[in-house]
């Protein structure tokens, strides 16, 4: 049992494409965190967007080397 409410978010690694479940703490509001992919161990930049009423709105995963640029 945890006191914090953590939201689960289905994500896929921007490096290797493997799917996994992220646990997001929406009570922190908008934040950026780093998560190491459990499959390829690359650092993933996780950008969390939370609405004003504390609902998890969106989670974006980016490679560490292209920040939030969407160039490919
Ligand atoms: Zn990976």
């Amino acid at each position: 049992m945890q006191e914090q409410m953590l939201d689960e978010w289905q994500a896929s690694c921007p490096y290797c494409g493997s799917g996994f479940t992220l646990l997001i703490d929406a009570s922190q509001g908008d934040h950026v965190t780093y998560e190491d992919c459990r499959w390829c161990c690359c650092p993933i930049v996780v950008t969390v967007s939370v609405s004003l009423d504390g609902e998890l709105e969106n989670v974006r995963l980016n490679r560490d080397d292209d920040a939030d640029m969407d160039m490919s």
Side-chain angles (χ1 to χ4, degrees), residues 30-56:
D30 290 354
H31 65 282
V32 177
T33 186
Y34 281 79
E35 194 78 35
D36 287 340
C37 175
R38 65 196 59 186
W39 307 106
C40 68
C41 298
C42 290
I44 304 166
V45 184
V46 180
T47 305
V48 178
S49 299
V50 178
S51 66
L52 290 176
D53 56 2
E55 291 287 315
L56 183 60

